[in-house]
Amino acid sequence: MGRVAIVGALSELPVTQHDLQSFVVDASFALGSMLTFTICGVFKEISNKSERDVIRQFSRTFVVFVSGERFAITNEMLCLSNVPSEVAKKCFQSVTAPLVTPQPSSVAVAVIPSVEMQQNMIVSFSSQSGMNERFSRLCLEQNGWDYDRSAAVFLDMKAKNSIPPEAFTN
């Protein structure tokens, strides 16, 4: 899906107003240059008819790879649900305290990512480096699944012309 198609799809969504007091951000996983975080909150769909505005909850999870000052969202999931009536009554009021009490969160740093994350890292590394998946996996494994360190080692070895040609063939 290209940029124009994405903008077209977004323009078809209903007009919304978000209750910023309801927002909670949780950074649940970080490893090298990869970060997973979730944003939860409440919004209402603004009706242009005489109907009442619909209030909904959302939870949006992102998997992001960071490279220098740039980043790429490699996966994202959006979940929507209706808001229970007791929560809806508290939404969109000028309050100083958030509707949801934020819970302290810690960023979990894992030594070895899950098999699914490893596969995502391999595919991304292969795409960015031009190496096949077998050598991309080898580079990531040898660098403890640290994406930034793997990229630095790759660039160093490439500059020294010490990567075998078969690393770039399928």
Side-chain angles (χ1 to χ4, degrees):
M1 182 177 242
R3 293 179 183 175
V4 174
I6 291 171
V7 171
L10 291 174
S11 68
E12 304 226 354
L13 294 173
V15 176
T16 61
Q17 178 185 359
H18 290 75
D19 183 355
L20 299 180
Q21 294 293 324
S22 71
F23 276 35
V24 175
V25 178
D26 181 29
S28 56
F29 178 82
L31 176 66
S33 61
M34 185 173 58
L35 173 67
T36 300
F37 64 95
T38 302
I39 303 171
C40 301
V42 175
F43 70 95
K44 64 180 167 184
E45 295 176 357
I46 308 297
S47 174
N48 55 4
K49 301 175 185 168
S50 61
E51 302 169 13
R52 291 181 42 190
D53 296 336
V54 178
I55 298 177
R56 300 192 192 279
Q57 299 178 122
F58 73 92
S59 174
R60 195 162 193 175
T61 302
F62 297 89
V63 177
V64 178
F65 280 93
V66 180
S67 178
E69 293 184 16
R70 301 187 68 171
F71 68 91
I73 299 171
T74 59
N75 195 350
E76 136 338 283
M77 180 173 55
L78 173 64
C79 297
L80 300 174
S81 63
N82 292 326
V83 175
S85 59
E86 63 273 4
V87 173
K89 292 174 188 173
K90 298 177 184 177
C91 295
F92 299 97
Q93 297 177 4
S94 294
V95 294
T96 55
L99 292 175
V100 178
T101 305
Q103 299 298 316
S105 64
S106 61
V107 176
V109 178
V111 176
I112 299 176
S114 70
V115 173
E116 182 181 357
M117 273 308 179
Q118 287 177 6
Q119 189 57 39
N120 287 341
M121 290 174 74
I122 292 167
V123 169
S124 179
F125 197 84
S126 177
S127 172
Q128 291 182 350
S129 69
M131 290 195 304
N132 60 42
E133 289 188 9
R134 184 169 71 93
F135 276 83
S136 294
R137 171 186 282 282
L138 184 62
C139 184
L140 288 161
E141 284 176 343
Q142 290 177 349
N143 290 286
W145 293 98
D146 183 322
Y147 201 90
D148 289 334
R149 186 171 53 185
S150 298
V153 168
F154 166 77
L155 291 173
D156 184 53
M157 290 180 70
K158 186 175 180 185
K160 293 177 181 174
N161 214 16
S162 59
I163 301 174
E166 60 267 18
F168 299 96
T169 60
N170 292 326

